[in-house]
Amino acid sequence: MQGLLQIAFGPLQDFIAAARRSRDLYAGSRLLSEAAGHAAAYLAEQVGHQNLIFPAPNNQEHLQQLSRSGIPNVVLVQLESTEGCSELAEEAVRRARNYILEKGRAVLSGELSEAQWEVSRKQLEDFLEAYWACVPVTDGYDRARSRLVAAMAARKNTRDFAAVNWASSAPKSSLDGFRESVTQQATAAWRTRKGIREGEELSGVDLLKRLWPERSFLSTSHMAALPYLQGLKQRGRLDQLEFYLERLADAVGELARVEWAHPVVRGTLLERYDPRLLFEGRLGEFFEQPGSAWEQAKAIVAEMYRALGRPEPYYALLHADGDRMGEAIDHQSRQGMEGHRRLSNHLVLNFAARVQGIVEGHQGCLIYAGGDDVLALLPLHTALPCAKTLAQTFQGAMKGFGKTRDPTLSIGLAIAHHLEPLQDALDLARRAEKFAKEGPQGTPPEQKRNALGLAYSPRSGSERMLRGGWDESPRLGQRLCRYQDLIRLEQVPVKAGYELKALLDELGGVEGLEPAIRLEALRILGRKDMSRGHREELGRWLDSAADVARMAQELIIAKVLARVYELAGLPKESPEVYDAH
C-alpha cells in the first residue's frame, strides 16, 4: 500500500536568529539547509526523484541547484509501500545528523583542545531536532495528506526529552543562552583573529557558525559599503580609494587583507580588503587594545573621508513569505499527488532556484531561499527594486495554482544600521513582513497580503513602519523613489516629513480640519521654489489627512534613501530607475 512520509528538521527560526554577525546568520541557515539536503538526497536515491513531493526536483542536477540556494526544512515523499518506512526515515535523519557532526569536526577539531572538542561534539550530536510521520494512502491523496499533517502535529507535541550529556558549570553561550561555552579559555589574540569579541562566549554549535569556512557570504558592512564603491567608480576615484585601503591594511596588519569569494565583490576592492576598513567605528575590531597603530588607522580613515566622503552606515535585510500557500496546496492536493508535486516543482524551479540570481543581480547576498521563504542582505540603493522583482517572479511562478486567488508574496524590508545586532535587524524584518501581510489594525481582509512592509530603525530615533500593496499605483517603492528624487533636486524641504508629522500631531485629531491640514501640508512642501509640475504631482497624492500621514512617514524614509542614492550616483528623475521600483 502506498504511503506518505514527511520529515521536519529544526530548530529553525530561533537557531537562525541567534546571530550577531552575518556569518552567524548565513552559517546557521546553511547548516540546517544542507542537513535537510542530505536527507532529501538519500530519499531521492531510495524512492526516485519523481516521488519527492516537496521539494520537487526533476533530477539530481535540479536537487543540487536547489541546494545552492536552500533546501526547505520539511521533506515530503511518496512511498510505494509503508513497509520499512521507519528504517527509511531514521536513515535519512541519521544522514542529516552525520553531516552536521562531520562539518563540525572539519571546522572545529583543529581549533579546540581535545576536551573542548569533546564538549562540542556532544553538543553537535544533540543539536538537530527531527520529527517524522508516515501514513498509508487508503482513501485518496488529499485525505492522506490531511492525516499526515495531524500526525506530524501530534508527533511534535510528544517530542522526546532526554538529559543532555554535555552540561557543565562553564558560562552559557552569548548567542542562545542555552549551551555551555567552549571558548572561555581562548586567548585575546585568537579571539581577534576569529572575530569573537571580548566577553563573548560561544558553544560548539555557535562556534561552528562563527568559524564557517566558506567566504560565500557578505557582511552587513559590505552591504553598507557597496553604494559608496559604486559612486566612487562612477566618479573615477577607485584608485584613490585603493591608495587609502592599502595604507590602512599596512597599519592594521594581516586581518585587513581577505579573499572573499562572493560573486558580488569579485573583481572589486572588497574582494581583497575587509569592508570594516571603511568604517571608523569598526577599526577597533582589528586590535587587541588601543595603541599607536589604531590611532594611525583612525587618522588614515579621517583623511580618506575628507578626500572621498564617507559611506552611509545603513543596509537592508529582506524577509519574504508566500501568501495563501496553504490554500493553494490544499486545492492542488485535491487533484492528487501530481497536482501537489506540480505546484512544488513550479515553486522550487521557477522561483526558489531563481532567487539567488535575482538577489545577486541586485548586489545582494542570499541567506536562504527555501520554497516560498526568502532571507537576504541588500545594499539600500537596490533593495526596493529587488523586492519588486522577487514579488513579480513569485507571482508568475504561482499563476494558476490557487482556487480563487493565486498565491502572492509579501515582503518585509528592514533598513538597519550595519552595527546593530543582527538579531534585532532580523526581528525588525520579520515584523515588517508580518505588517505587509496583516496591515494596520482594521485592514479589510481583501486588502491584506500581497504587499511590501518597510521598517526603518535609525541608530537614534523612533522606528518607522510603512506598507504598500504590490497592486497599488504608484507602488510604495515608486513613491519613495519619487520623493528621494525631489529631495535630491531640492524641490522638497529635507525636514518636510518631520514637519508634516508635527502638523498631524497638532491638528490631526480635530474634526472638520482635513481640508486645512491638506492645504497646510502643501504649503510646507512648497516652501522651496518648487516647479509647478512637481507641485501638482504632490497635490494629486494628498486627498486626505491619511494621505498626509502616509506622506510624512514616506518622506522621512525617503530622506535616508536620497543620501544613499546620491552616494551611489543613481540618476535623478530616471524613468528606468522609477519603473524598477
Side-chain angles (χ1 to χ4, degrees):
M1 180 181 298
Q2 286 187 330
L4 292 178
L5 170 65
Q6 182 170 304
I7 306 175
F9 296 100
L12 189 60
Q13 301 291 357
D14 291 343
F15 173 68
I16 294 175
R20 288 188 174 178
R21 293 175 176 266
S22 58
R23 184 194 295 255
D24 301 337
L25 189 65
Y26 175 84
S29 174
R30 291 304 306 169
L31 190 66
L32 286 177
S33 176
E34 291 178 12
H38 277 71
Y42 170 73
L43 292 171
E45 289 175 9
Q46 300 301 309
V47 304
H49 292 88
Q50 71 278 7
N51 287 313
L52 261 67
I53 302 171
F54 188 76
N58 294 331
N59 48 50
Q60 180 63 23
E61 181 183 350
H62 283 164
L63 187 59
Q64 291 175 348
Q65 182 183 3
L66 292 175
S67 296
R68 288 192 288 271
S69 56
I71 296 291
N73 70 311
V74 175
V75 181
L76 176 63
V77 299
Q78 178 176 263
L79 307 177
E80 288 302 317
S81 171
T82 55
E83 186 177 349
C85 69
S86 175
E87 292 80 2
L88 185 69
E90 291 297 338
E91 178 60 22
V93 171
R94 190 193 70 79
R95 300 272 179 121
R97 288 199 167 112
N98 189 60
Y99 160 76
I100 291 174
L101 182 60
E102 291 307 311
K103 188 75 171 183
R105 190 188 310 277
V107 174
L108 300 181
S109 60
E111 299 285 351
L112 302 173
S113 68
E114 187 174 339
Q116 290 169 330
W117 162 243
E118 183 61 20
V119 174
S120 298
R121 182 186 64 79
K122 292 177 179 178
Q123 291 176 344
L124 290 165
E125 286 178 338
D126 187 56
F127 156 68
L128 189 67
E129 298 173 3
Y131 311 97
W132 64 268
C134 183
V135 299
V137 182
T138 56
D139 50 357
Y141 177 83
D142 182 34
R143 293 185 178 182
R145 194 182 71 85
S146 296
R147 292 199 307 275
L148 182 62
V149 170
M152 281 296 291
R155 176 63 186 91
K156 289 184 178 181
N157 288 332
T158 54
R159 65 179 66 182
D160 302 323
F161 291 95
V164 299
N165 61 357
W166 38 262
S168 71
S169 59
K172 297 290 188 182
S173 168
S174 302
L175 290 192
D176 63 21
F178 171 54
R179 300 176 182 86
E180 276 72 19
S181 169
V182 297
T183 60
Q184 68 272 22
Q185 297 176 359
T187 65
W190 185 84
R191 285 175 173 272
T192 300
R193 289 198 310 273
K194 302 302 179 182
I196 303 172
R197 295 177 180 175
E198 182 181 357
E200 187 177 28
E201 299 293 348
L202 299 178
S203 69
V205 175
D206 296 324
L207 187 60
L208 172 57
K209 294 199 290 186
R210 185 62 57 86
L211 302 186
W212 194 258
E214 301 168 15
R215 287 281 182 172
S216 52
F217 66 94
L218 296 176
S219 69
T220 57
S221 295
H222 276 106
M223 295 295 109
L226 284 170
Y228 182 64
L229 263 72
Q230 178 172 308
L232 291 176
K233 181 179 180 180
Q234 289 188 9
R235 289 152 50 197
R237 305 189 72 180
L238 285 181
D239 288 345
Q240 289 176 269
L241 179 62
E242 185 174 10
F243 166 74
Y244 287 111
L245 288 175
E246 187 61 27
R247 289 175 60 194
L248 280 166
D250 289 340
V252 166
E254 63 178 11
L255 292 179
R257 303 182 193 277
V258 295
E259 294 181 2
W260 231 279
H262 197 277
V264 167
V265 297
R266 192 173 298 142
T268 74
L269 293 174
L270 294 185
E271 184 180 27
R272 296 180 282 122
Y273 296 101
D274 194 306
R276 291 178 293 173
L277 295 172
L278 296 171
F279 298 94
E280 183 182 7
R282 299 203 69 174
L283 290 179
E285 298 174 22
F286 293 105
F287 302 95
E288 295 175 35
Q289 57 188 11
S292 59
W294 189 350
E295 293 302 320
Q296 181 187 1
K298 289 197 289 186
I300 295 171
V301 168
E303 182 183 338
M304 179 179 72
Y305 287 168
R306 288 193 296 271
L308 302 175
R310 65 174 64 217
E312 286 291 325
Y314 290 95
Y315 75 100
L317 182 60
L318 180 148
H319 181 233
D321 187 56
D323 307 318
R324 303 185 184 88
M325 287 299 294
E327 295 176 15
I329 291 172
D330 289 343
H331 175 59
Q332 294 299 320
S333 294
R334 296 187 189 101
Q335 304 171 38
M337 187 272 280
E338 294 78 11
H340 188 176
R341 192 176 191 282
R342 186 168 57 252
L343 183 152
S344 297
N345 185 264
H346 272 254
L347 177 65
V348 297
L349 297 181
N350 294 341
F351 177 69
R354 297 181 180 180
V355 169
Q356 185 166 7
I358 292 171
V359 170
E360 292 177 1
H362 290 86
Q363 302 179 49
C365 175
L366 179 65
I367 303 296
Y368 176 74
D372 62 330
D373 193 13
V374 178
L375 186 64
L377 301 170
L378 288 156
L380 208 47
H381 68 298
T382 64
L384 289 167
C386 182
K388 175 212 168 191
T389 304
L390 288 173
Q392 290 181 335
T393 303
F394 184 88
Q395 197 164 6
M398 291 291 95
K399 187 175 183 179
F401 283 100
K403 182 178 181 180
T404 56
R405 289 175 293 184
D406 290 334
T408 53
L409 193 70
S410 286
I411 296 178
L413 270 180
I415 300 175
H417 195 283
H418 74 122
L419 293 183
E420 288 296 320
L422 260 175
Q423 290 169 312
D424 295 344
L426 184 57
D427 174 69
L428 187 64
R430 286 174 173 165
R431 286 191 286 117
E433 183 267 326
K434 183 178 180 181
F435 187 62
K437 283 184 180 291
E438 298 298 321
Q441 188 174 6
T443 300
E446 65 274 11
Q447 295 179 18
K448 293 184 177 183
R449 306 177 182 88
N450 190 30
L452 169 67
L454 181 60
Y456 169 46
S457 176
R459 201 78 193 277
S460 60
S462 302
E463 179 182 298
R464 309 284 175 183
M465 191 83 75
L466 304 177
R467 179 182 184 272
W470 290 119
D471 53 1
E472 290 180 359
S473 181
R475 293 183 294 271
L476 171 60
Q478 291 177 318
R479 295 196 300 271
L480 291 171
C481 179
R482 195 71 188 108
Y483 292 146
Q484 67 82 27
D485 268 344
L486 296 178
I487 291 172
R488 291 167 66 195
L489 290 166
E490 299 184 349
Q491 291 287 294
V492 170
V494 172
K495 296 183 179 180
Y498 294 100
E499 295 181 35
L500 292 178
K501 184 177 181 302
L503 169 66
L504 289 166
D505 290 342
E506 184 177 357
L507 301 178
V510 181
E511 188 175 349
L513 288 184
E514 280 210 359
I517 290 172
R518 179 180 181 275
L519 290 173
E520 178 61 12
L522 289 172
R523 187 196 68 79
I524 290 172
L525 294 171
R527 278 210 318 272
K528 291 267 186 179
D529 188 17
M530 187 186 295
S531 71
R532 179 178 177 181
H534 291 148
R535 188 186 303 275
E536 291 176 351
E537 179 183 9
L538 292 181
R540 290 194 296 270
W541 292 359
L542 288 177
D543 289 331
S544 65
D547 291 336
V548 175
R550 184 192 67 190
M551 183 178 286
Q553 296 278 48
E554 292 177 358
L555 280 170
I556 290 171
I557 292 182
K559 179 182 173 182
V560 181
L561 296 179
R563 294 199 303 265
V564 175
Y565 284 28
E566 184 70 22
L567 191 69
L570 293 189
K572 305 178 186 74
E573 296 200 298
S574 163
E576 291 79 10
V577 173
Y578 180 80
D579 290 343
H581 284 67

